[in-house]
Amino acid sequence: MPDPASPAPRVWLTLPDGQELRGRLLARKWTPSGWRFQVSVALWSATADLGVEPADYVVWVPADVGTEYLRPVDGDDYTGVPTDGPPSHPYLAPPPPGADMSWAWTVEQTRTSGPGSRPTGTRIHEHGCPQAPADGPELDLDQALTALTRAGARACQECAAAEVLTRL
């Protein structure tokens, strides 16, 4: 059993532009579209008084074979990382290679009042939900899960979004 006072093991995180940052591996989770690793990276955040302070940015990163987003740091022990492994039920097992995993989602910017007002958050919908904006972008499962982790985001209660996405 890992010591809860000890820090999470370090990882190298590769950003989309190729930069590498050192972060901390907080958890591992199996999803229907593959493994996701929860990583924390310390970055600067603006304060209300126009200063800056360190803040942890936490994101779930795909970690399937062929993705090069994460690398271990030599010498760190990963055995104590909380892991939610694959379920035993075959329905939730990984899809066979080449299987069509399309299940489209869309995102809606929520506002305090009418058009032109400041956005207050986002709501994720199943694509085709009557509550979704007609011109909303089409998201795949990974994009929908990422959008749902942002501050002020929630899943629509009228379609399958809340039922499906909040379980992952």
Side-chain angles (χ1 to χ4, degrees):
M1 183 83 179
D3 177 6
S6 67
R10 299 169 299 166
V11 291
W12 286 107
L13 174 66
T14 303
L15 300 179
D17 66 356
Q19 293 181 70
E20 287 189 332
L21 300 175
R22 197 175 311 191
R24 299 276 179 183
L25 180 59
L26 304 177
R28 298 177 279 213
K29 175 170 60 171
W30 172 258
T31 71
S33 57
W35 283 101
R36 300 291 174 263
F37 286 10
Q38 188 179 39
V39 178
S40 172
V41 178
L43 298 172
W44 293 108
S45 178
T47 63
D49 62 354
L50 302 179
V52 293
E53 64 185 12
D56 283 328
Y57 177 72
V58 178
V59 64
W60 285 97
V61 178
D64 299 321
V65 174
T67 60
E68 302 300 325
Y69 304 127
L70 291 176
R71 288 184 297 114
V73 171
D74 290 339
D76 278 26
D77 179 16
Y78 298 91
T79 58
V81 175
T83 303
D84 185 10
S88 59
H89 194 283
Y91 174 74
L92 297 173
D100 180 16
M101 288 296 292
S102 60
W103 191 343
W105 309 92
T106 190
V107 64
E108 168 192 16
Q109 294 293 323
T110 57
R111 301 179 182 283
T112 54
S113 57
S117 64
R118 182 181 162 174
T120 57
T122 57
R123 185 172 25 234
I124 312 303
H125 300 273
E126 182 178 19
H127 197 69
C129 172
Q131 302 295 320
D135 59 347
E138 186 173 310
L139 309 174
D140 64 20
L141 179 61
D142 291 334
Q143 293 166 323
L145 288 170
T146 299
L148 192 57
T149 63
R150 294 188 181 120
R154 57 189 163 93
C156 176
Q157 298 293 319
E158 302 297 319
C159 63
E163 178 68 24
V164 173
L165 295 176
T166 56
R167 291 180 182 227
L168 302 176

